[in-house]
Amino acid sequence: MKSLFYSGFVSLAVLIIACSKETSLVQDQALNNDLRNTNTTQNNPSTGRLSYGDTLFYNQSTPGNKLANVISSPSGTTKYKAIPGGLSIDSVTGRINITQSESGIRYKIFAVGSNGSALDSVKIVISGVDYKDEIFEIFTTPNSSDTSFPIYNATPGLAFPCSDDDDDDDDDDDDCIFDETDLDNDGNDDIAGVMQDKLLVNIKTGTIDMEASYQAGVFGPNPANGTIKNFVMYYRMNDASGRSLQKINIRLYYYKRRSDIPQLLLNELAQRNNQSASVNARFISSTEFTAYEKPKRPPILIIVGQQ
């Protein structure tokens, strides 16, 4: 009798253990399926709205290039495009090379389907400084109107991350440096800087005095109509870039009278204005990335020297 009881107990125990193992296997399989589905979603970005996980990107002084990858995009996306020109983007993967892109500009990036239509778009900003395309009639406007003001992070009026909060001329307020000449930050000048070429930039605020630059001879003596001067200005900002070295190309034009400005140049200014409006608009148009894919840079600053 004792033997029968023991045998029955053993059989029951074996049955319980077998059921427990089967349940555990089912649970483990379900967990593995969940993990597999989660990993599939993470590795396949074509699951939703176009996103890079952020809309503002800073370039830091780090070895190699800083990259930003697509976090999600609409199903059916086959390539990526951006307006205006100047964004270093892989058309197949959508990956952005922050280091190689023009900074201080707002871009609109499109997720494009196989039929060439825009499935979605997102706006991002590469942090930095820009200047508004502008015409300065220096003899018909007050002096205050003859200043070109820098724009930070593609947002007019946005405060700069600089602490120039006193009235002295000391160099203790160096959170932001414009017309940087010490490119490798070793305490020695590596280049002459744009002010040596008579482009008069406030080294703390980045403003450019257009009339003073003209009077100082930025175009040389007796400039001819249509004279063009190109500049490369280096600068550093006390923001999330960690005061890494950045640069901007600037183009100056000289004309004696406003009526001397060629229509082609005026058309370019109008096209750039429409381009900016298209980037800032919420509407997604499949024609935007063909009509406005030209670069925005360099900013065009036109000086009119006579009435």
Side-chain angles (χ1 to χ4, degrees):
M1 188 65 147
K2 182 177 180 181
S3 175
L4 289 174
F5 175 80
Y6 178 77
S7 176
F9 176 79
V10 170
S11 298
L12 179 61
V14 170
L15 179 61
I16 291 173
I17 292 173
C19 291
S20 177
K21 286 183 176 180
E22 183 177 355
T23 301
S24 178
L25 288 173
V26 171
Q27 291 174 340
D28 289 345
Q29 185 64 43
L31 178 60
N32 289 336
N33 287 339
D34 288 342
L35 291 174
R36 189 177 298 111
N37 291 336
T38 300
N39 290 336
T40 299
T41 301
Q42 291 175 342
N43 294 331
N44 178 12
S46 300
T47 56
R49 297 296 305 272
L50 178 58
S51 173
Y52 285 85
D54 203 346
T55 57
L56 177 60
F57 296 92
Y58 294 85
N59 188 24
Q60 289 93 10
S61 296
T62 56
N65 293 322
K66 182 179 180 181
L67 306 174
N69 295 306
V70 173
I71 300 301
S72 64
S73 62
S75 178
T77 300
T78 58
K79 59 184 176 181
Y80 300 85
K81 288 191 175 184
I83 59 170
L87 186 69
S88 180
I89 183 171
D90 188 310
S91 62
V92 176
T93 66
R95 185 175 65 183
I96 300 170
N97 188 324
I98 305 299
T99 307
Q100 299 299 323
S101 298
E102 289 278 2
S103 58
I105 296 179
R106 176 174 287 109
Y107 298 93
K108 181 183 284 187
I109 304 171
F110 297 88
V112 184
S114 58
N115 63 353
S117 62
L119 303 177
D120 198 9
S121 66
V122 65
K123 291 177 284 187
I124 70 162
V125 172
I126 307 298
S127 178
V129 166
D130 194 15
Y131 290 87
K132 178 184 177 183
D133 301 318
E134 202 165 354
I135 300 173
F136 300 90
E137 299 182 77
I138 60 176
F139 289 109
T140 61
T141 57
N143 289 340
S144 60
S145 299
D146 297 326
T147 301
S148 180
F149 294 91
I151 300 170
Y152 179 53
N153 287 354
T155 306
L158 182 65
F160 276 64
C162 311
S163 61
D164 182 17
D165 54 4
D166 57 31
D167 296 325
D168 59 40
D169 293 325
D170 296 332
D171 292 330
D172 55 345
D173 301 318
D174 60 352
D175 285 346
C176 298
I177 300 177
F178 294 91
D179 195 25
E180 173 68 280
T181 54
D182 180 9
L183 305 187
D184 55 9
N185 209 24
D186 66 350
N188 299 313
D189 290 338
D190 301 299
I191 59 174
V194 299
M195 284 193 290
Q196 291 296 317
D197 288 329
K198 308 297 192 297
L199 184 65
L200 303 184
V201 179
N202 185 310
I203 63 173
K204 296 181 180 181
T205 65
T207 57
I208 303 174
D209 191 326
M210 302 301 293
E211 180 172 359
S213 297
Y214 173 70
Q215 299 291 1
V218 68
F219 294 109
N222 301 316
N225 253 342
T227 299
I228 302 173
K229 289 291 295 289
N230 292 305
F231 300 88
V232 179
M233 184 180 74
Y234 291 89
Y235 64 95
R236 301 181 190 274
M237 305 288 292
N238 185 31
D239 55 15
S241 68
R243 299 183 76 251
S244 63
L245 186 67
Q246 301 190 66
K247 68 177 181 179
I248 179 173
N249 296 295
I250 300 172
R251 179 169 296 166
L252 266 61
Y253 289 81
Y254 171 75
Y255 292 97
K256 293 181 178 179
R257 300 174 179 82
R258 190 182 186 100
S259 58
D260 293 329
I261 302 175
Q263 188 60 46
L264 284 177
L265 185 54
L266 294 175
N267 291 344
E268 182 172 359
L269 295 182
Q271 191 271 347
R272 287 185 175 202
N273 187 60
N274 293 335
Q275 183 185 63
S276 296
S278 180
V279 169
N280 289 309
R282 298 182 63 182
F283 179 69
I284 301 172
S285 169
S286 299
T287 62
E288 285 180 306
F289 47 70
T290 55
Y292 300 121
E293 61 187 359
K294 290 181 61 179
K296 182 184 183 299
R297 287 284 172 79
I300 294 174
L301 306 179
I302 302 174
I303 292 180
V304 175
Q306 298 179 17
Q307 295 187 25

